[in-house]
Amino acid sequence: MEQVVKLTELEAGIVQVTMEDKDSRNTFTKELMSALITVFAEIRRHPGYKVVILTGYENYFCCGGTKEELIRIHQSDAKFNELNFFTCPLECEIPVISAMQGHGIGGGFVFGLYADFAILGRENVYTTNFMKYGFTPGLGATLMVPLKLGEVLGNEMLHSAKNYRGEELKERGIPFKVVPKAQVMSEAMALARELAEKPRLSLVTLKKHLTAHIREKLPIAIEQELHMHEITFHQPEVGERIETSFGK
């Protein structure tokens, strides 16, 4: 089977996690989710690593839930918190940079926001499109999106489910660097080198402190999202929307 997530040591202290599930365009397949858990566990075992660059391939950073996965949740056969990969960047001891060189769609965009830093491509599409299907957001999106992008824009994105180009988000004042997609990786590498100059213990200690409020609030947000899913996810209209949208 083709390796869908690759771990590459770029230089001393800097590693790159590349999502390359080309058959699914980096949607949340079982293979991708399992591989991400495995790779981040591997990173944890290496005391020499200081910084992680998380990225995708070609035009795709990460594109969220598969049709099969959404149908299973709609039919009460699964819950999103069973997909326990999405907090890997948050739980990683060392800083993680999301180099979103391609589109970030739905839960895929939220996954990138669990990193400590994010760099977006000017031409790429970013969206939290949960409500497009008629169900309320999950994966901790109700916490992470307003927290990372700002409350006004974050709430707008969650409610509207519309597509935003990186350039538009830049104009709206997001706190992340937005550059031409061809420059995303070079910007990520420059930041990674700045971080890798610092002692690993200091990086780990500072990240633990700076993310404590997220780790404290996240279980509450997920519990609330699961409650909203019990209300919204099982509507017949949601199943119809999933079928129609993925049928295009």
Side-chain angles (χ1 to χ4, degrees), residues 59 61 99-105 109 113 118-128 149 153 157 162-182 184:
N59 291 325
F61 172 70
M100 299 194 205
Q101 84 319 318
H103 305 315
I105 309 298
F109 182 49
L113 296 181
I119 302 170
L120 277 57
R122 188 172 65 192
E123 308 92 327
N124 299 327
V125 170
Y126 304 99
T127 178
T128 54
L149 300 182
L153 177 58
M157 292 185 74
K162 69 177 248 186
N163 294 341
Y164 297 77
R165 294 282 177 182
E167 181 65 22
E168 181 180 356
L169 294 177
K170 181 178 181 180
E171 292 173 356
R172 295 288 299 272
I174 66 167
F176 300 137
K177 186 170 286 189
V178 181
V179 298
K181 62 174 293 183
V184 169

Side-chain angles (χ1 to χ4, degrees), residues 73 76 78-79 136 223-235:
I73 298 174
S76 300
K79 295 181 179 181
T136 48
E223 182 179 352
Q224 292 169 339
E225 288 177 355
L226 288 170
H227 177 67
M228 288 190 290
H229 277 188
E230 287 299 317
I231 298 170
T232 66
F233 220 119
H234 311 304
Q235 301 173 85

Side-chain angles (χ1 to χ4, degrees), residues 27 65-68 70 133 241-248:
T27 53
T66 64
K67 176 182 177 180
E68 293 73 21
L70 296 180
Y133 302 106
R241 288 185 179 215
I242 294 170
E243 290 287 352
T244 301
S245 297
F246 278 90
K248 292 180 181 179

Side-chain angles (χ1 to χ4, degrees), residues 68-85:
E68 293 73 21
E69 175 187 297
L70 296 180
I71 288 294
R72 288 186 68 226
I73 298 174
H74 170 64
Q75 295 177 344
S76 300
D77 293 329
K79 295 181 179 181
F80 76 81
N81 63 325
E82 296 170 3
L83 314 174
N84 60 351
F85 75 99

Side-chain angles (χ1 to χ4, degrees), residues 18-201:
T18 307
M19 298 176 284
E20 288 187 339
D21 194 344
K22 295 183 178 180
D23 289 341
S24 78
R25 297 179 179 177
N26 279 355
T27 53
F28 294 158
T29 60
K30 292 180 180 178
E31 292 78 13
L32 183 71
M33 294 185 291
S34 176
L36 283 166
I37 292 170
T38 298
V39 163
F40 274 95
E42 179 70 14
I43 290 170
R44 191 177 186 89
R45 289 192 288 269
H46 282 265
Y49 294 162
K50 294 183 176 182
V51 188
V52 178
I53 297 175
L54 174 66
T55 193
Y57 75 96
E58 296 173 6
N59 291 325
Y60 303 100
F61 172 70
C62 194
C63 294
T66 64
K67 176 182 177 180
E68 293 73 21
E69 175 187 297
L70 296 180
I71 288 294
R72 288 186 68 226
I73 298 174
H74 170 64
Q75 295 177 344
S76 300
D77 293 329
K79 295 181 179 181
F80 76 81
N81 63 325
E82 296 170 3
L83 314 174
N84 60 351
F85 75 99
F86 59 91
T87 59
C88 282
L90 174 66
E91 294 167 356
C92 184
E93 289 185 313
I94 57 178
V96 178
I97 303 167
S98 283
M100 299 194 205
Q101 84 319 318
H103 305 315
I105 309 298
F109 182 49
V110 177
F111 177 56
L113 296 181
Y114 277 97
D116 304 282
F117 307 91
I119 302 170
L120 277 57
R122 188 172 65 192
E123 308 92 327
N124 299 327
V125 170
Y126 304 99
T127 178
T128 54
N129 62 345
F130 304 91
M131 291 284 279
K132 170 186 174 182
Y133 302 106
F135 58 84
T136 48
L139 301 178
T142 57
L143 172 66
M144 298 302 294
V145 177
L147 178 66
K148 292 298 184 81
L149 300 182
E151 186 174 355
V152 172
L153 177 58
N155 288 344
E156 177 187 310
M157 292 185 74
L158 292 172
H159 276 93
S160 70
K162 69 177 248 186
N163 294 341
Y164 297 77
R165 294 282 177 182
E167 181 65 22
E168 181 180 356
L169 294 177
K170 181 178 181 180
E171 292 173 356
R172 295 288 299 272
I174 66 167
F176 300 137
K177 186 170 286 189
V178 181
V179 298
K181 62 174 293 183
Q183 298 176 18
V184 169
M185 289 305 299
S186 59
E187 290 285 345
M189 194 64 193
L191 175 57
R193 285 175 174 147
E194 288 181 357
L195 297 172
E197 293 174 353
K198 282 69 177 178
R200 175 187 161 94
L201 179 59

